[in-house]
Amino acid sequence: MRIEADRKLDFDDVLIRPKRSRLKSRAEVDLNRTFKMPHAGVEISGVPVIAANMDTVGTLGMAAALAGHRMFTALDKHYTTEELQAGVRGDFSFITFGIEDLKKIDAVMAALERNRADKICLDVANGYTEAFVEFIGEVRAHHPDKVIMAGNVTTADMTEALILAGADIVKVGIGPGSACMTRAMTGVGYPQISAIIECADAAHGLSGMICADGGCKMPGDVAKAFGAGADFVMLGGMLAGHTESLSDEQLKNLDKTDNIVEYYGMSSETAMNKYSGGVAKHRASEGRVVRIPYRGDVAHTVQDILGGIRSACTYVGAPSLKQLSKRTTFVVKN
Ligand code: 5GP
């Protein structure tokens, strides 16, 4: 047994210290970023916030709405190829897979060629397995020019391993999610601000990128994630409960449910009952069901989130999102 005793930080442990600024208004702040992908060789441009690949968040409706703001969506992996063909706008969507048959991935990506889908999200709960690292290598070999985002991990060593295996973007976060029970069920995890700082440093050293995934509860947390060095930030709970992420049935039943809707983790009993025929005997559910009030169209929430990040940039004198982490000094709350 070993103990790492230096203090690791979570979103609630820090604040961003204000700095002298030349900016006159937050309207001057540019939130667009362009990233060159180290393996795929292509560029991604947009506002680097990504809706999580959860079936209550990463819907085709959400993707259409967010693309209007140049924001991204990692689509839920349970969509059929036909549904994806009918609804995907390639430039702002990631097509999500777990560890699965390469032939399936090849077939889906070939079918979406006309949608210009060039971004793949490889998502597993635990990105630390050798099998996952090998799998990333195989997907990279089959798709040399596709953007690959893979995870989740939460430490620098494994961020490097995934990038060396073929990932362009590493998804960082084990345990911080709002519908996540991993910390409670297993005792495993890592405070997210420290994870972002350490993994971003490791990724940038290899010309890779990270996506901070989980734990943002309000716009200030998104600003903190970017301030800590995240290139992309993924949001689940903050984008749940909107018109664009609800099923037709949920929308129809709003009156009956007093405007309360369910949002659940992808390893929750609800999700496992829906997609895997129940919780397998050897595993426990590591996701929870959260009941939240219906929040209307996502455009209002988007305005809050982007307004918050813009305002954070003006407080530290960052004329663009790219400058935010360079201008960020965190103060640790006691
Ligand atoms: P949030 O933005 O809601 O705090 O976190 C969203 C993230 O939580 C997702 O992108 C995903 O990484 C993670 N997540 C989603 N469902 C589950 C689950 O059932 N269990 C765990 N451990 N994490 C989940």
Side-chain angles (χ1 to χ4, degrees), residues 18-26 28-29 310-319 327:
K19 285 189 182 154
R20 195 165 51 79
S21 167
R22 289 217 173 93
L23 292 164
K24 291 195 185 74
S25 144
R26 57 164 122 165
E28 290 172 30
V29 175
R310 279 205 181 88
S311 195
C313 288
T314 53
Y315 271 112
V316 299
R327 303 278 306 170

PDB file of all heavy atoms in Angstrom, residues 18-26 28-29 310-319 327:
ATOM      1  N   PRO A  18      -9.151  36.740 -10.040  1.00  0.00           N
ATOM      2  CA  PRO A  18      -9.291  37.782 -11.074  1.00  0.00           C
ATOM      3  C   PRO A  18      -7.956  38.464 -11.368  1.00  0.00           C
ATOM      4  O   PRO A  18      -7.094  38.550 -10.487  1.00  0.00           O
ATOM      5  CB  PRO A  18     -10.284  38.773 -10.474  1.00  0.00           C
ATOM      6  CG  PRO A  18     -10.486  38.379  -9.063  1.00  0.00           C
ATOM      7  CD  PRO A  18      -9.863  37.054  -8.809  1.00  0.00           C
ATOM      8  N   LYS A  19      -7.796  38.925 -12.615  1.00  0.00           N
ATOM      9  CA  LYS A  19      -6.553  39.618 -12.994  1.00  0.00           C
ATOM     10  C   LYS A  19      -6.864  40.869 -13.798  1.00  0.00           C
ATOM     11  O   LYS A  19      -7.895  40.921 -14.473  1.00  0.00           O
ATOM     12  CB  LYS A  19      -5.695  38.675 -13.857  1.00  0.00           C
ATOM     13  CG  LYS A  19      -5.039  37.604 -13.040  1.00  0.00           C
ATOM     14  CD  LYS A  19      -4.024  36.806 -13.810  1.00  0.00           C
ATOM     15  CE  LYS A  19      -3.472  35.733 -12.879  1.00  0.00           C
ATOM     16  NZ  LYS A  19      -2.973  34.577 -13.571  1.00  0.00           N
ATOM     17  N   ARG A  20      -5.943  41.803 -13.764  1.00  0.00           N
ATOM     18  CA  ARG A  20      -6.106  43.043 -14.512  1.00  0.00           C
ATOM     19  C   ARG A  20      -6.367  42.707 -15.989  1.00  0.00           C
ATOM     20  O   ARG A  20      -5.752  41.807 -16.546  1.00  0.00           O
ATOM     21  CB  ARG A  20      -4.831  43.873 -14.394  1.00  0.00           C
ATOM     22  CG  ARG A  20      -4.960  45.321 -14.802  1.00  0.00           C
ATOM     23  CD  ARG A  20      -3.764  46.110 -14.315  1.00  0.00           C
ATOM     24  NE  ARG A  20      -2.504  45.472 -14.690  1.00  0.00           N
ATOM     25  CZ  ARG A  20      -1.953  45.554 -15.892  1.00  0.00           C
ATOM     26  NH1 ARG A  20      -2.532  46.250 -16.837  1.00  0.00           N
ATOM     27  NH2 ARG A  20      -0.826  44.935 -16.156  1.00  0.00           N
ATOM     28  N   SER A  21      -7.317  43.445 -16.593  1.00  0.00           N
ATOM     29  CA  SER A  21      -7.745  43.060 -17.926  1.00  0.00           C
ATOM     30  C   SER A  21      -7.898  44.281 -18.828  1.00  0.00           C
ATOM     31  O   SER A  21      -8.309  45.349 -18.378  1.00  0.00           O
ATOM     32  CB  SER A  21      -9.095  42.340 -17.812  1.00  0.00           C
ATOM     33  OG  SER A  21      -9.690  42.218 -19.061  1.00  0.00           O
ATOM     34  N   ARG A  22      -7.581  44.112 -20.091  1.00  0.00           N
ATOM     35  CA  ARG A  22      -7.794  45.209 -21.045  1.00  0.00           C
ATOM     36  C   ARG A  22      -9.142  45.092 -21.761  1.00  0.00           C
ATOM     37  O   ARG A  22      -9.525  45.962 -22.521  1.00  0.00           O
ATOM     38  CB  ARG A  22      -6.703  45.166 -22.128  1.00  0.00           C
ATOM     39  CG  ARG A  22      -5.347  45.562 -21.635  1.00  0.00           C
ATOM     40  CD  ARG A  22      -4.604  46.374 -22.727  1.00  0.00           C
ATOM     41  NE  ARG A  22      -3.366  46.883 -22.195  1.00  0.00           N
ATOM     42  CZ  ARG A  22      -2.200  46.226 -22.312  1.00  0.00           C
ATOM     43  NH1 ARG A  22      -2.137  45.087 -22.961  1.00  0.00           N
ATOM     44  NH2 ARG A  22      -1.107  46.734 -21.786  1.00  0.00           N
ATOM     45  N   LEU A  23      -9.835  43.953 -21.526  1.00  0.00           N
ATOM     46  CA  LEU A  23     -11.079  43.726 -22.264  1.00  0.00           C
ATOM     47  C   LEU A  23     -12.173  44.675 -21.782  1.00  0.00           C
ATOM     48  O   LEU A  23     -12.320  44.907 -20.587  1.00  0.00           O
ATOM     49  CB  LEU A  23     -11.547  42.286 -22.069  1.00  0.00           C
ATOM     50  CG  LEU A  23     -10.655  41.228 -22.709  1.00  0.00           C
ATOM     51  CD1 LEU A  23     -10.970  39.859 -22.131  1.00  0.00           C
ATOM     52  CD2 LEU A  23     -10.865  41.221 -24.211  1.00  0.00           C
ATOM     53  N   LYS A  24     -12.930  45.204 -22.746  1.00  0.00           N
ATOM     54  CA  LYS A  24     -13.992  46.144 -22.369  1.00  0.00           C
ATOM     55  C   LYS A  24     -15.305  45.422 -22.114  1.00  0.00           C
ATOM     56  O   LYS A  24     -16.095  45.812 -21.291  1.00  0.00           O
ATOM     57  CB  LYS A  24     -14.170  47.179 -23.478  1.00  0.00           C
ATOM     58  CG  LYS A  24     -12.982  48.121 -23.565  1.00  0.00           C
ATOM     59  CD  LYS A  24     -13.335  49.351 -24.411  1.00  0.00           C
ATOM     60  CE  LYS A  24     -12.127  50.230 -24.605  1.00  0.00           C
ATOM     61  NZ  LYS A  24     -11.161  49.649 -25.573  1.00  0.00           N
ATOM     62  N   SER A  25     -15.531  44.344 -22.863  1.00  0.00           N
ATOM     63  CA  SER A  25     -16.814  43.657 -22.730  1.00  0.00           C
ATOM     64  C   SER A  25     -16.625  42.172 -23.016  1.00  0.00           C
ATOM     65  O   SER A  25     -15.738  41.779 -23.770  1.00  0.00           O
ATOM     66  CB  SER A  25     -17.798  44.258 -23.737  1.00  0.00           C
ATOM     67  OG  SER A  25     -18.639  43.261 -24.248  1.00  0.00           O
ATOM     68  N   ARG A  26     -17.507  41.374 -22.388  1.00  0.00           N
ATOM     69  CA  ARG A  26     -17.361  39.950 -22.617  1.00  0.00           C
ATOM     70  C   ARG A  26     -17.721  39.557 -24.047  1.00  0.00           C
ATOM     71  O   ARG A  26     -17.372  38.477 -24.511  1.00  0.00           O
ATOM     72  CB  ARG A  26     -18.141  39.139 -21.603  1.00  0.00           C
ATOM     73  CG  ARG A  26     -19.621  39.434 -21.546  1.00  0.00           C
ATOM     74  CD  ARG A  26     -20.298  38.316 -20.821  1.00  0.00           C
ATOM     75  NE  ARG A  26     -21.040  38.729 -19.646  1.00  0.00           N
ATOM     76  CZ  ARG A  26     -21.914  37.935 -19.060  1.00  0.00           C
ATOM     77  NH1 ARG A  26     -22.125  36.737 -19.484  1.00  0.00           N
ATOM     78  NH2 ARG A  26     -22.578  38.371 -18.014  1.00  0.00           N
ATOM     79  N   GLU A  28     -16.421  40.644 -26.507  1.00  0.00           N
ATOM     80  CA  GLU A  28     -15.174  40.599 -27.287  1.00  0.00           C
ATOM     81  C   GLU A  28     -14.489  39.234 -27.234  1.00  0.00           C
ATOM     82  O   GLU A  28     -13.569  38.971 -27.987  1.00  0.00           O
ATOM     83  CB  GLU A  28     -14.166  41.624 -26.733  1.00  0.00           C
ATOM     84  CG  GLU A  28     -14.525  43.059 -26.983  1.00  0.00           C
ATOM     85  CD  GLU A  28     -13.567  43.990 -26.224  1.00  0.00           C
ATOM     86  OE1 GLU A  28     -12.396  43.633 -26.007  1.00  0.00           O
ATOM     87  OE2 GLU A  28     -14.025  45.079 -25.849  1.00  0.00           O
ATOM     88  N   VAL A  29     -14.930  38.382 -26.292  1.00  0.00           N
ATOM     89  CA  VAL A  29     -14.203  37.113 -26.083  1.00  0.00           C
ATOM     90  C   VAL A  29     -14.553  36.080 -27.160  1.00  0.00           C
ATOM     91  O   VAL A  29     -15.727  35.830 -27.424  1.00  0.00           O
ATOM     92  CB  VAL A  29     -14.535  36.541 -24.682  1.00  0.00           C
ATOM     93  CG1 VAL A  29     -13.891  35.183 -24.499  1.00  0.00           C
ATOM     94  CG2 VAL A  29     -14.092  37.510 -23.596  1.00  0.00           C
ATOM     95  N   ARG A 310     -17.386  33.231 -21.085  1.00  0.00           N
ATOM     96  CA  ARG A 310     -16.946  34.552 -21.587  1.00  0.00           C
ATOM     97  C   ARG A 310     -16.604  35.488 -20.433  1.00  0.00           C
ATOM     98  O   ARG A 310     -15.602  36.190 -20.450  1.00  0.00           O
ATOM     99  CB  ARG A 310     -18.056  35.207 -22.407  1.00  0.00           C
ATOM    100  CG  ARG A 310     -18.132  34.717 -23.794  1.00  0.00           C
ATOM    101  CD  ARG A 310     -18.774  35.750 -24.729  1.00  0.00           C
ATOM    102  NE  ARG A 310     -18.817  35.154 -26.034  1.00  0.00           N
ATOM    103  CZ  ARG A 310     -19.819  34.399 -26.473  1.00  0.00           C
ATOM    104  NH1 ARG A 310     -20.880  34.217 -25.718  1.00  0.00           N
ATOM    105  NH2 ARG A 310     -19.766  33.849 -27.659  1.00  0.00           N
ATOM    106  N   SER A 311     -17.476  35.482 -19.428  1.00  0.00           N
ATOM    107  CA  SER A 311     -17.279  36.368 -18.297  1.00  0.00           C
ATOM    108  C   SER A 311     -16.006  35.977 -17.540  1.00  0.00           C
ATOM    109  O   SER A 311     -15.219  36.842 -17.130  1.00  0.00           O
ATOM    110  CB  SER A 311     -18.513  36.296 -17.396  1.00  0.00           C
ATOM    111  OG  SER A 311     -18.500  37.354 -16.505  1.00  0.00           O
ATOM    112  N   ALA A 312     -15.771  34.676 -17.361  1.00  0.00           N
ATOM    113  CA  ALA A 312     -14.532  34.221 -16.697  1.00  0.00           C
ATOM    114  C   ALA A 312     -13.323  34.749 -17.469  1.00  0.00           C
ATOM    115  O   ALA A 312     -12.347  35.214 -16.867  1.00  0.00           O
ATOM    116  CB  ALA A 312     -14.497  32.690 -16.644  1.00  0.00           C
ATOM    117  N   CYS A 313     -13.398  34.703 -18.799  1.00  0.00           N
ATOM    118  CA  CYS A 313     -12.272  35.191 -19.623  1.00  0.00           C
ATOM    119  C   CYS A 313     -12.032  36.682 -19.380  1.00  0.00           C
ATOM    120  O   CYS A 313     -10.885  37.126 -19.285  1.00  0.00           O
ATOM    121  CB  CYS A 313     -12.536  34.930 -21.101  1.00  0.00           C
ATOM    122  SG  CYS A 313     -12.419  33.186 -21.559  1.00  0.00           S
ATOM    123  N   THR A 314     -13.118  37.455 -19.257  1.00  0.00           N
ATOM    124  CA  THR A 314     -12.926  38.897 -19.032  1.00  0.00           C
ATOM    125  C   THR A 314     -12.347  39.166 -17.642  1.00  0.00           C
ATOM    126  O   THR A 314     -11.537  40.060 -17.473  1.00  0.00           O
ATOM    127  CB  THR A 314     -14.240  39.702 -19.187  1.00  0.00           C
ATOM    128  OG1 THR A 314     -15.218  39.115 -18.356  1.00  0.00           O
ATOM    129  CG2 THR A 314     -14.742  39.728 -20.599  1.00  0.00           C
ATOM    130  N   TYR A 315     -12.734  38.355 -16.644  1.00  0.00           N
ATOM    131  CA  TYR A 315     -12.199  38.552 -15.282  1.00  0.00           C
ATOM    132  C   TYR A 315     -10.688  38.323 -15.216  1.00  0.00           C
ATOM    133  O   TYR A 315     -10.011  38.838 -14.339  1.00  0.00           O
ATOM    134  CB  TYR A 315     -12.882  37.606 -14.291  1.00  0.00           C
ATOM    135  CG  TYR A 315     -14.140  38.174 -13.669  1.00  0.00           C
ATOM    136  CD1 TYR A 315     -15.389  37.639 -13.949  1.00  0.00           C
ATOM    137  CD2 TYR A 315     -14.055  39.237 -12.772  1.00  0.00           C
ATOM    138  CE1 TYR A 315     -16.537  38.144 -13.362  1.00  0.00           C
ATOM    139  CE2 TYR A 315     -15.193  39.750 -12.181  1.00  0.00           C
ATOM    140  CZ  TYR A 315     -16.440  39.211 -12.484  1.00  0.00           C
ATOM    141  OH  TYR A 315     -17.564  39.720 -11.897  1.00  0.00           O
ATOM    142  N   VAL A 316     -10.165  37.455 -16.106  1.00  0.00           N
ATOM    143  CA  VAL A 316      -8.715  37.194 -16.031  1.00  0.00           C
ATOM    144  C   VAL A 316      -7.958  37.843 -17.194  1.00  0.00           C
ATOM    145  O   VAL A 316      -6.761  37.636 -17.344  1.00  0.00           O
ATOM    146  CB  VAL A 316      -8.408  35.672 -15.989  1.00  0.00           C
ATOM    147  CG1 VAL A 316      -9.035  35.046 -14.757  1.00  0.00           C
ATOM    148  CG2 VAL A 316      -8.863  34.967 -17.262  1.00  0.00           C
ATOM    149  N   GLY A 317      -8.701  38.584 -18.025  1.00  0.00           N
ATOM    150  CA  GLY A 317      -8.037  39.281 -19.134  1.00  0.00           C
ATOM    151  C   GLY A 317      -7.638  38.369 -20.277  1.00  0.00           C
ATOM    152  O   GLY A 317      -6.617  38.580 -20.919  1.00  0.00           O
ATOM    153  N   ALA A 318      -8.463  37.352 -20.534  1.00  0.00           N
ATOM    154  CA  ALA A 318      -8.183  36.456 -21.663  1.00  0.00           C
ATOM    155  C   ALA A 318      -9.059  36.846 -22.848  1.00  0.00           C
ATOM    156  O   ALA A 318     -10.277  36.716 -22.770  1.00  0.00           O
ATOM    157  CB  ALA A 318      -8.456  35.006 -21.267  1.00  0.00           C
ATOM    158  N   PRO A 319      -8.480  37.348 -23.945  1.00  0.00           N
ATOM    159  CA  PRO A 319      -9.296  37.752 -25.082  1.00  0.00           C
ATOM    160  C   PRO A 319      -9.936  36.575 -25.816  1.00  0.00           C
ATOM    161  O   PRO A 319     -10.876  36.758 -26.584  1.00  0.00           O
ATOM    162  CB  PRO A 319      -8.303  38.475 -25.998  1.00  0.00           C
ATOM    163  CG  PRO A 319      -6.951  38.070 -25.550  1.00  0.00           C
ATOM    164  CD  PRO A 319      -7.044  37.611 -24.136  1.00  0.00           C
ATOM    165  N   ARG A 327      -3.958  32.369 -18.487  1.00  0.00           N
ATOM    166  CA  ARG A 327      -4.237  33.476 -17.565  1.00  0.00           C
ATOM    167  C   ARG A 327      -4.826  33.007 -16.228  1.00  0.00           C
ATOM    168  O   ARG A 327      -5.190  33.830 -15.409  1.00  0.00           O
ATOM    169  CB  ARG A 327      -5.233  34.450 -18.223  1.00  0.00           C
ATOM    170  CG  ARG A 327      -4.794  35.029 -19.552  1.00  0.00           C
ATOM    171  CD  ARG A 327      -3.871  36.203 -19.419  1.00  0.00           C
ATOM    172  NE  ARG A 327      -4.431  37.257 -18.576  1.00  0.00           N
ATOM    173  CZ  ARG A 327      -3.721  38.302 -18.150  1.00  0.00           C
ATOM    174  NH1 ARG A 327      -2.455  38.417 -18.484  1.00  0.00           N
ATOM    175  NH2 ARG A 327      -4.288  39.226 -17.387  1.00  0.00           N
TER     176      ARG A 327
END
